[in-house]
Amino acid sequence: KRKHVMLVIHLKTRYCMLFFDTKKADSAGFVHAFTHRWLEGVMDLMLKCGVLDMVAPQMCERLLSDAGKPFRMLQRSDRSSQGQLNEILRVFKWDAEEFDFVRQPWSAQRYDASINRTPRSIKGIKGYGYPVEEMLVHWLMAVGGVDALTAQQAREKYRQVSLSRALP
């Protein structure tokens, strides 16, 4: 519908986010929107599966305060993730014909949750993994400062909760 759509993927976890109707050359605005939506998505996930208490509150404050610091955008390419991005974009084009994502403020997060529940091939994982689960574990270890054992416990807790009810 002649709107700009930007796809962002985390190469290690295949966690993907779509940004609708972004402004050209507004990199600072994009980084702000990205950081806040990424943090909201992960925090919502941690709250829903009961692992939010594993992270010290100062970690989240630090992440938000770091968002205002200088940044650098780099263009990268990865063949395996490019195939997944192409598939996500193809499905999005079908969905965009029936729904106006730009006018619904909640639609971006809901769409992100939906695409990140799709099993994907992820480097280092036999078979398929779920990007939302991998991002939860990655975030807890990289940003939340938890050890590998605690992150594994969070993974198990996520799996238990997601089996008992439909979680993103």
Side-chain angles (χ1 to χ4, degrees), residues 63-87:
L63 180 64
L64 283 174
S65 67
D66 287 351
K69 292 186 179 177
F71 58 89
R72 190 173 51 182
M73 298 187 99
L74 303 170
Q75 184 175 347
R76 291 189 57 187
S77 178
D78 181 73
R79 285 181 50 200
S80 66
S81 65
Q82 187 61 51
Q84 292 177 5
L85 285 173
N86 291 342
E87 177 66 18

Side-chain angles (χ1 to χ4, degrees), residues 84-96:
Q84 292 177 5
L85 285 173
N86 291 342
E87 177 66 18
I88 291 166
L89 190 56
R90 186 175 61 81
V91 171
F92 175 73
K93 285 179 182 178
W94 288 341
D95 294 340

Side-chain angles (χ1 to χ4, degrees), residues 7-40:
L7 284 81
V8 178
I9 192 166
H10 185 254
L11 294 176
K12 184 175 180 180
T13 64
R14 299 298 195 246
Y15 188 84
C16 185
M17 295 190 308
L18 279 82
F19 294 86
F20 316 123
D21 204 22
T22 57
K23 293 179 174 65
K24 282 186 174 182
D26 183 17
S27 54
F30 168 73
V31 169
H32 177 76
F34 168 81
T35 304
H36 283 277
R37 193 149 109 228
W38 180 51
L39 182 60
E40 271 181 23

